[in-house]
Amino acid sequence: MNLRIGVIGTGAIGKEHINRITNKLSGAEITAVTDVNQEAAKQTVQDFELNASVYPDDDSLLASENVDAVLVTSWGPAHESSVLKAIQHGKYVFCEKPLATTAEGCMRIVKEEMKTGKRLVQVGFMRRYDSGYIQLKEAIDNRAVGEPLMIHCAHRNPTVASNYSTDMAVVDTLVHEIDVLHWLVNDDYESVQVIYPKKSKNALPHLKDPQMVIIETKGGIVINAEIYVNCKYGYDIQCEIVGEDGVIKLPEPSSISLRKEGKLSTDILMDWQRRFAAAYDAEIQDFIESIRKKGEVSGPTAWDGYIAAVTTDACVKAQESGQKEPVALQEKPAFYQSFTTVSK
Ligand SMILES: NC(=O)c1ccc[n+]([C@@H]2O[C@H](COP(=O)([O-])OP(=O)(O)OC[C@H]3O[C@@H](n4cnc5c(N)ncnc54)[C@H](O)[C@@H]3O)[C@@H](O)[C@H]2O)c1
């Protein structure tokens, strides 16, 4: 029997996940949807020709016997409440980032999940399912370059909407590096600092762009992470690990090489949807298969959501203070100790 999935929030990413579950992946079907915009929810059912009920709110959807698991793809500030209610109903929950908008909110989810004694919550940090990052992780775990010492990375977008603000550079953009980097090197963050280079002429007046975030880990690794969201030329994710004995680099997305008019060129992708399409498919397929085979989820944990919230809070503080700010994580509960990777 297919896993019966309810979707809370039928906006952009909610529809993308509905599409992949309905038309690309196996083992699940969408049986329920809700959105504060009820018309959007009804339209989604029509557009994807779903055999799904439209519920007035998350409470009624979560109470339905026709739902085994939910995707929380609503607006960020609504995530915590839906995730807590899902856990209380004993439903598996895949939550898009942020798990909650505050570290305290993430901790409430952590505590609620631990009460159940099993993993119900997966957070949508899809980079851990990207084949390039998985190769990096395997090389680091196999000590291919000895101990990692430094990481240089960049997160570049061609452009952003006019309501994109300086803090969103860390809360919405860098959050993906924040999640994937501590997973790659199996280390915790110690401190963060934000430096503003010369401002780009492409950035709107209210936005500080680019930004450089310096992160130190407890193990002494120094990370410099560039965020540049008006780079114009493409959506470009770079990551280079400098180890004691060599350097490993995130592979470029594969693309044909074109020889023409005296030039050799390859395409650069322009959007994150295409760059990480396979990773989004893999994370949702893993959610489905883990529940069906093990009765538990196995991807990024609620604790990872908590780490992201504490670290982005520290980055926002560092944006304002100009100082090095501590990343003050509580001690990791034993419940989450064994859930450190999803590398396949
Ligand atoms: N992992 C990623 O790379 C990635 C990519 C895009 C978006 N996201 C995250 O996914 C979430 C949704 O982003 P989006 O781009 O789809 O936004 P969106 O604005 O397109 O969609 C959000 C939808 O949620 C609905 N909604 C808001 N509050 C609700 C509530 N309480 N109950 C039910 N529905 C509610 C809205 O009406 C809207 O239809 C955000 O948290 C965003 O950060 C993650």
Side-chain angles (χ1 to χ4, degrees):
M1 189 174 139
N2 276 342
L3 185 75
R4 299 165 306 171
I5 295 185
V7 178
I8 301 170
T10 55
I13 195 109
K15 285 205 266 280
E16 284 191 26
H17 290 332
I18 287 172
N19 182 40
R20 55 176 52 90
I21 289 168
T22 307
N23 298 315
K24 291 169 93 178
L25 307 182
S26 61
E29 62 189 300
I30 306 296
T31 54
V33 297
T34 187
D35 195 295
V36 283
N37 179 347
Q38 286 278 288
E39 284 314 308
K42 287 178 195 157
Q43 192 62 46
T44 303
V45 169
Q46 268 187 26
D47 290 348
F48 291 95
E49 299 177 0
L50 303 175
N51 185 15
S53 311
V54 177
Y55 287 86
D57 50 36
D58 58 353
D59 288 303
S60 51
L61 182 146
L62 286 162
S64 166
E65 290 191 350
N66 202 23
V67 171
D68 307 309
V70 291
L71 308 186
V72 175
T73 46
S74 55
W75 189 44
H79 291 183
E80 179 188 344
S81 155
S82 292
V83 174
L84 284 172
K85 287 188 271 192
I87 298 170
Q88 284 151 9
H89 278 90
K91 310 266 166 154
Y92 302 99
V93 49
F94 173 92
C95 182
E96 271 304 343
K97 57 90 183 161
L99 177 60
T101 51
T102 62
E104 295 74 26
C106 291
M107 194 49 91
R108 282 189 282 276
I109 291 171
V110 159
K111 287 186 176 154
E112 200 65 27
E113 181 178 42
M114 285 198 297
K115 273 196 233 162
T116 71
K118 72 172 182 175
R119 274 207 58 202
L120 294 175
V121 181
Q122 175 173 338
V123 183
F125 289 127
M126 75 294 173
R127 285 205 194 171
R128 297 189 192 198
Y129 292 88
D130 174 75
S131 67
Y133 278 108
I134 290 172
Q135 289 172 62
L136 275 189
K137 173 80 178 149
E138 283 168 358
I140 292 167
D141 287 351
N142 295 335
R143 317 313 283 167
V145 291
E147 284 288 320
L149 307 173
M150 294 176 280
I151 305 179
H152 307 297
C153 52
H155 190 143
R156 303 190 187 117
N157 292 55
T159 185
V160 283
S162 58
N163 64 352
Y164 186 99
S165 52
T166 296
D167 60 330
M168 287 168 77
V170 290
V171 174
D172 277 356
T173 302
L174 190 74
V175 68
H176 287 293
E177 271 76 17
I178 286 172
D179 176 68
V180 84
L181 296 177
H182 78 79
W183 169 73
L184 276 180
V185 294
N186 196 21
D187 201 350
D188 275 327
Y189 300 132
E190 173 80 25
S191 67
V192 295
Q193 189 176 2
V194 179
I195 293 165
Y196 299 112
K198 182 173 175 175
K199 182 175 160 147
S200 165
K201 68 175 184 348
N202 301 326
L204 288 171
H206 69 272
L207 179 64
K208 292 185 172 159
D209 187 45
Q211 300 181 34
M212 181 71 75
V213 182
I214 312 293
I215 308 176
E216 291 175 356
T217 72
K218 293 203 184 305
I221 300 168
V222 175
I223 300 165
N224 70 318
E226 168 202 320
I227 314 155
Y228 182 23
V229 295
N230 286 283
C231 78
K232 298 287 178 203
Y233 72 86
Y235 178 74
D236 195 8
I237 300 300
Q238 299 290 326
C239 183
E240 183 179 272
I241 318 274
V242 181
E244 290 168 307
D245 303 322
V247 172
I248 41 180
K249 202 165 188 283
L250 186 70
E252 296 288 341
S254 81
S255 151
I256 55 163
S257 65
L258 173 67
R259 286 171 158 81
K260 195 173 176 188
E261 293 167 355
K263 285 200 174 72
L264 173 60
S265 63
T266 55
D267 282 352
I268 294 176
L269 296 174
M270 293 304 287
D271 61 75
W272 49 268
Q273 287 95 333
R274 282 184 64 203
R275 172 65 181 82
F276 288 111
Y280 287 113
D281 288 349
E283 69 170 354
I284 302 285
Q285 191 68 67
D286 187 37
F287 179 68
I288 295 167
E289 276 173 24
S290 297
I291 295 168
R292 282 166 58 99
K293 290 185 183 151
K294 300 188 304 180
E296 252 187 326
V297 302
S298 63
T301 65
W303 187 255
D304 294 315
Y306 166 76
I307 292 176
V310 173
T311 312
T312 51
D313 279 356
C315 287
V316 171
K317 203 165 171 199
Q319 282 181 324
E320 287 156 9
S321 71
Q323 305 295 313
K324 194 191 269 194
E325 298 290 347
V327 179
L329 291 173
Q330 294 191 26
E331 199 175 325
K332 189 174 183 176
F335 179 82
Y336 293 102
Q337 289 296 349
S338 56
F339 305 117
T340 50
T341 72
V342 293
S343 187
K344 297 244 159 59

